[in-house]
Amino acid sequence: MTKPQPEDAKDKDVAKDKAAVKDKEAVKDMPQLSISSIPKPKIRVPRIDPNTMARAQAPKELPKDPKLLADEYIADLHSANWGGEETWVRFSRLPQKSHTFLRDIDINCTLANIRGTERALSRRGRSTPTSNTLSRMLEVFEAAKLANIVPDRYTYQELIAINVDLLNFNYAHDWLEKMVVQGIKPTIRPYRTILKGYSTVSSELDSARRLWHEIKTKIAAGLIAGEKSDEVATTVDLLTYTSYVAAESKAGNFALVVGVLEEMDQAGIKPDITLRNTVLDGLVRHKGLDAGLQEAELMEQSGYELNGYSYTTLLNATIKEQRDEEIHKLLEAAAAKNIVPPAYLMQKLTLDPFDVLSIMAKLEASHKVRLYNVLIESAMRGNDFTQVLQLIDHLKQNNVPANVVTYTLLFDALNKAGRLDQAKSMFTKVFSSGELTPDAHIYSIMIDACGRHGDVKTMFWFKNEMQRQGLAVSEPVYNSILSALSQWRNGNLQAVMVTASEMERVKPTVKPTCRTFSAIFAAFATQAQRRRLGLGELEFLQTWYAMATDKYYVAKDSYYYFMAVNAFVCAQSLPDAMTAFSDMVRSHKVSHVSGRFMKNPVRMLDLIKLAIEHQEYGAALEIWNNWQRLRLPPISKAVELALFACDQMGQPTVAINIIRGLLSMDEDVYCPQFVDESVLALYIAMMTKHSMLDAIMPVVHLWTTAMTAECGSEPVLSESTVAKTVAMLRGNSHPGAAAIANELLTHVDAHFPDATPV
């Protein structure tokens, strides 16, 4: 039974509630902040969030045995398909005592995961290795060193490779030297890695030559190990030859290339098609198409069969030199070998796609559909959707059986052209006969298209049909559904929560990605702007935000942080919004995050306002302190809110430091655009209120100087602002207030005569 409250306690609660309401009303009026709007300083009464309190009171789990944690890490490391981000997070969470139970193979696998995933992403054009990747790998290396885990040649090879990826060739050499100093005889692989890196940078040709001679010298001296530990390398291998030939071919030094080929012949090493294509590419770049055609003829006479890369290299040259006759010959020759050039190359051709079909008529029947598919993709790249449909008709007229890839391209083209109804009709027409069965990719395209057009009902029909066919719903499909639900005006969060939860329930489970979480946050933000979230909905949002880090180890991007902060602000959940904000500030992607907020800085203003509504003035100042770090645009409203927070905390000296920092040229935070006349008036009112009159005129002089220097002319100061400020000072009971009013009028009369009150 609840103990009844005393009357005085009830009165205090009522008074507190009234004060809270008054604070919220004051915040709503923020855009009209003026001299008279600053209330008397209040004693801050922190509010306790029940969810936060419950989490704080929850019993803490007992720490696990360090060896058990290490064993779990090792088992998952070698069996699960971790990405670089997940590998790093899991390793960084291992207690230091667990490191002693790791082996060198575990450290090497950790390093390979962190580097390898970044490298794989870069090949798909989605990411590139960064200094952050290197920093993580160095931390793993140092942790292993502290745990007395002795690095082996594979450890050093990973560190050499990441430095080559980042073009840090000097550091790569340093790690190679450390390997030798430790007494490890390196194989040719780390030397080849560095040499291959040199071959990609024209300015490093001399370095490539020095390393090439060093490799041969060390092989002769028996200082390079063979691939097996009990062997010594006796000759340069084919891959290393290829790396050096690439460096010289790129520089156009073909006399040296010929010498290397003769050296290979003497050593009994036959160049493969990759090496010969490397030479072919260099000849075409430096000597043109004719030299390339002569080399191609020589390659065929020597028993090499030109492959797709060979023809792509030659066709690129013919297009560049506008040799139409040679284009015809090369396309015919490629067709005779059933080689179909890639779509990006077909797009460069000036030939009509139907002429290409005629020229390459010698393609075997089973390969003709590949040519149609490539031409369709080429037309899509040029946004020529009419030509896509013409090619489909041509394919049917010539009795070439279309495959699933053909219709995948067709549906993709129709949807990108905004022809969803036609795509749905075509889907029914093509697959109702049963001759072809749609694959997961086709369903994915249709689901994404329906979602983008707001046809949620049909979107779910395709998803259910996909599952009925026994096809696994992949992560991109779930992301398309969630993205559609986040933009659905008539949507509800129940569909979002059910879809997200299904990802965890299905077998095999589907791992959410950054896009998944961003779509969920966007959906919650949209709904929270229209209505108050229920307790269960807010708990779901909190849980999924935590799972991104604690369960799924998601590599977060700028959009993720932007949407997370936005979702919690719209949900009026300050503790969660501040958690997301703090995570964002700590992120190494903070420079990318700032771009999101620069386009929509009102979100940051909303966060500051939310902090003030909750009387969390310290949080409001924390956000302000990071405003410029995030390189957000100078908005005077942000300074007004920061000054308001200082006033409510009774800290006028903090306000002085803020204004002086923005107006002093020798300060890192110098940015006078933040301080317009309304901010200056608010500052004067605040100093007057807190009886710090001596801090007024120095800032007025500083403001005039800074704004004049920044704007090229004296800043605009209105008569009404000056009149209100002077009236406020003269009406103040402080004995020095009237003198400050007179001094201010004198300054205004000297610098802003048009603003002098009549």
Side-chain angles (χ1 to χ4, degrees):
M1 187 172 179
T2 307
K3 185 178 179 180
Q5 288 182 303
E7 289 299 321
D8 58 343
K10 291 182 179 179
D11 292 342
K12 288 180 180 179
D13 287 342
V14 172
K16 189 187 297 184
D17 291 339
K18 288 182 178 179
V21 172
K22 188 175 181 181
D23 277 348
K24 288 188 177 182
E25 290 176 351
V27 172
K28 289 179 181 178
D29 293 336
M30 275 295 181
Q32 287 78 40
L33 270 174
S34 61
I35 297 170
S36 60
S37 68
I38 300 184
K40 294 181 180 179
K42 299 177 181 178
I43 299 175
R44 179 184 169 203
V45 182
R47 297 181 179 181
I48 300 175
D49 181 83
N51 295 322
T52 305
M53 185 171 65
R55 288 193 293 269
Q57 293 174 350
K60 295 183 179 180
E61 292 184 7
L62 294 175
K64 291 184 178 180
D65 177 63
K67 185 177 185 307
L68 179 61
L69 289 172
D71 290 342
E72 290 176 354
Y73 176 82
I74 292 169
D76 291 340
L77 174 68
H78 296 287
S79 61
N81 187 23
W82 290 350
E85 183 76 16
E86 182 170 354
T87 303
W88 163 248
V89 173
R90 285 181 181 269
F91 181 85
S92 61
R93 290 183 180 179
L94 272 180
Q96 189 173 351
K97 291 181 179 179
S98 295
H99 294 167
T100 57
F101 298 102
L102 301 179
R103 305 158 297 171
D104 55 2
I105 190 174
D106 305 320
I107 296 299
N108 295 341
C109 189
T110 299
L111 292 172
N113 276 9
I114 294 173
R115 181 184 76 88
T117 298
E118 296 283 357
R119 182 180 55 187
L121 288 175
S122 70
R123 288 175 179 171
R124 293 194 293 270
R126 292 167 53 194
S127 180
T128 54
T130 64
S131 58
N132 189 57
T133 312
L134 175 60
S135 298
R136 290 175 172 181
M137 293 178 69
L138 291 176
E139 286 193 41
V140 172
F141 180 83
E142 290 300 323
K145 187 177 178 182
L146 290 173
N148 295 318
I149 301 172
V150 180
D152 60 12
R153 62 163 56 102
Y154 300 104
T155 313
Y156 286 109
Q157 282 173 183
E158 288 297 335
L159 292 165
I160 290 168
I162 182 60
N163 277 287
V164 171
D165 288 341
L166 298 173
L167 305 182
N168 297 332
F169 297 116
N170 290 335
Y171 289 114
H173 275 286
D174 290 344
W175 283 107
L176 182 56
E177 184 63 28
K178 288 177 182 178
M179 185 196 307
V180 175
V181 169
Q182 187 178 313
I184 300 174
K185 183 182 289 187
T187 64
I188 202 168
R189 178 180 170 184
Y191 291 98
R192 183 172 63 238
T193 299
I194 299 174
L195 183 61
K196 189 175 181 180
Y198 283 147
S199 72
T200 63
V201 183
S202 301
S203 59
E204 295 289 351
L205 179 61
D206 290 338
S207 300
R209 289 173 176 170
R210 286 193 296 268
L211 182 58
W212 172 248
H213 291 298
E214 181 184 345
I215 290 170
K216 293 199 291 185
T217 301
K218 290 195 172 184
I219 287 177
L223 298 177
I224 294 181
E227 292 300 325
K228 296 182 180 179
S229 58
D230 57 344
E231 293 180 350
V232 174
T234 57
T235 184
V236 179
D237 66 338
L238 176 59
L239 292 176
T240 308
Y241 271 116
T242 303
S243 297
Y244 180 58
V245 167
E248 295 292 0
S249 296
K250 189 171 185 176
N253 300 317
F254 298 107
L256 286 174
V257 170
V258 171
V260 173
L261 293 175
E262 291 174 351
E263 182 183 318
M264 292 179 68
D265 185 57
Q266 293 172 5
I269 299 175
K270 180 177 173 60
D272 62 2
I273 188 64
T274 301
L275 189 149
R276 294 303 296 262
N277 278 336
T278 301
V279 178
L280 176 65
D281 186 66
L283 281 167
V284 166
R285 287 174 183 272
H286 288 277
K287 296 190 175 183
L289 176 62
D290 289 334
L293 291 173
Q294 291 176 8
E295 174 65 15
E297 184 179 356
L298 181 60
M299 288 168 65
E300 291 184 312
Q301 291 172 358
S302 302
Y304 293 95
E305 185 173 344
L306 301 185
N307 60 14
Y309 186 88
S310 311
Y311 283 105
T312 299
T313 300
L314 294 170
L315 281 167
N316 261 320
T318 57
I319 293 168
K320 185 178 180 181
E321 296 182 18
Q322 299 179 353
R323 303 268 292 274
D324 293 342
E325 184 178 346
E326 295 299 337
I327 290 176
H328 281 246
K329 291 179 180 179
L330 286 170
L331 288 175
E332 287 178 350
K337 296 179 180 179
N338 290 316
I339 293 173
V340 178
Y344 80 87
L345 190 62
M346 291 294 198
Q347 190 182 2
K348 295 179 182 178
L349 295 176
T350 55
L351 292 172
D352 184 88
F354 302 102
D355 291 336
V356 174
L357 286 167
S358 177
I359 294 169
M360 301 189 73
K362 291 182 180 180
L363 277 170
E364 292 180 4
S366 59
H367 294 275
K368 284 186 178 179
V369 69
R370 287 178 49 225
L371 178 58
Y372 276 101
N373 292 343
V374 166
L375 292 171
I376 290 170
E377 184 181 351
S378 174
M380 286 177 59
R381 286 170 174 262
N383 293 322
D384 192 343
F385 302 109
T386 301
Q387 191 174 88
V388 170
L389 297 177
Q390 290 172 348
L391 285 165
I392 292 290
D393 290 337
H394 191 275
L395 174 144
K396 293 178 180 178
Q397 291 169 9
N398 287 272
N399 298 318
V400 177
N403 57 20
V404 174
V405 175
T406 311
Y407 288 110
T408 299
L409 292 167
L410 173 61
F411 292 136
D412 198 20
L414 290 172
N415 292 326
K416 286 180 178 177
R419 300 179 181 182
L420 178 60
D421 291 337
Q422 189 176 353
K424 290 190 290 187
S425 175
M426 184 72 73
F427 182 92
T428 303
K429 181 179 178 181
V430 170
F431 298 115
S432 59
S433 64
E435 294 181 10
L436 282 176
T437 303
D439 62 2
H441 194 187
I442 287 181
Y443 277 114
S444 176
I445 289 173
M446 296 304 299
I447 288 169
D448 184 66
C450 291
R452 289 178 184 275
H453 287 79
D455 189 352
V456 175
K457 183 178 179 180
T458 309
M459 176 183 74
F460 276 109
W461 181 89
F462 276 112
K463 172 184 171 289
N464 294 335
E465 187 67 15
M466 182 180 184
Q467 291 174 315
R468 192 180 69 81
Q469 296 288 344
L471 298 172
V473 181
S474 61
E475 166 260 325
V477 175
Y478 279 112
N479 289 344
S480 295
I481 294 171
L482 290 169
S483 295
L485 292 174
S486 70
Q487 300 172 30
W488 190 24
R489 292 184 178 181
N490 300 323
N492 58 68
L493 292 180
Q494 188 65 27
V496 175
M497 294 189 289
V498 168
T499 302
S501 299
E502 184 182 302
M503 295 180 72
E504 296 189 289
R505 292 196 315 270
V506 294
K507 300 296 181 184
T509 56
V510 179
K511 183 178 178 180
T513 62
C514 186
R515 185 187 169 197
T516 311
F517 288 94
S518 298
I520 291 172
F521 298 150
F524 273 80
T526 300
Q527 292 301 315
Q529 288 175 322
R530 298 173 181 170
R531 62 173 177 82
R532 187 178 184 85
L533 295 184
L535 181 60
E537 293 171 334
L538 181 58
E539 287 178 351
F540 180 91
L541 183 60
Q542 293 166 336
T543 300
W544 274 76
Y545 181 81
M547 286 198 306
T549 300
D550 298 335
K551 184 175 181 179
Y552 294 113
Y553 308 95
V554 170
K556 306 169 184 69
D557 61 11
S558 60
Y559 189 66
Y560 169 94
Y561 286 114
F562 178 82
M563 295 312 303
V565 171
N566 188 35
F568 286 121
V569 168
C570 292
Q572 298 290 296
S573 179
L574 180 63
D576 297 305
M578 288 305 299
T579 297
F581 174 78
S582 299
D583 291 344
M584 178 188 74
V585 171
R586 286 194 299 268
S587 170
H588 67 279
K589 295 183 175 66
V590 69
S591 60
H592 301 291
V593 174
S594 62
R596 296 284 180 182
F597 283 99
M598 282 183 71
K599 295 177 181 177
N600 200 353
V602 70
R603 297 304 180 200
M604 289 293 286
L605 285 175
D606 289 341
L607 181 55
I608 299 179
K609 291 178 183 179
L610 182 63
I612 292 176
E613 285 179 3
H614 285 71
Q615 299 183 17
E616 293 289 346
Y617 305 116
L621 288 180
E622 179 187 345
I623 301 163
W624 160 252
N625 290 334
N626 283 285
W627 189 281
Q628 286 180 289
R629 180 186 172 189
L630 293 171
R631 296 197 290 275
L632 299 182
I635 300 176
S636 60
K637 187 61 62 182
V639 190
E640 292 180 4
L641 292 169
L643 294 181
F644 183 84
C646 292
D647 174 73
Q648 297 299 289
M649 295 176 72
Q651 294 188 7
T653 53
V654 175
I656 294 173
N657 292 335
I658 289 174
I659 297 299
R660 281 187 169 276
L662 293 171
L663 296 177
S664 300
M665 293 185 183
D666 56 345
E667 294 287 340
D668 293 336
V669 295
Y670 173 73
C671 191
Q673 298 95 323
F674 274 102
V675 188
D676 59 14
E677 67 169 348
S678 64
V679 173
L680 182 64
L682 187 62
Y683 170 82
I684 294 173
M686 185 176 176
M687 294 302 104
T688 304
K689 172 182 175 180
H690 291 277
S691 301
M692 299 187 69
L693 300 177
D694 291 342
I696 293 177
M697 288 311 300
V699 165
V700 172
H701 288 288
L702 198 61
W703 180 79
T704 303
T705 302
M707 293 296 285
T708 301
E710 190 68 23
C711 303
S713 60
E714 291 191 344
V716 176
L717 192 62
S718 66
E719 181 181 344
S720 61
T721 298
V722 175
K724 290 179 182 178
T725 305
V726 170
M728 178 272 300
L729 286 166
R730 286 177 173 170
N732 191 275
S733 60
H734 193 284
I740 294 295
N742 293 333
E743 188 176 350
L744 178 62
L745 277 174
T746 302
H747 180 84
V748 170
D749 192 48
H751 295 276
F752 312 98
D754 293 340
T756 303
V758 178

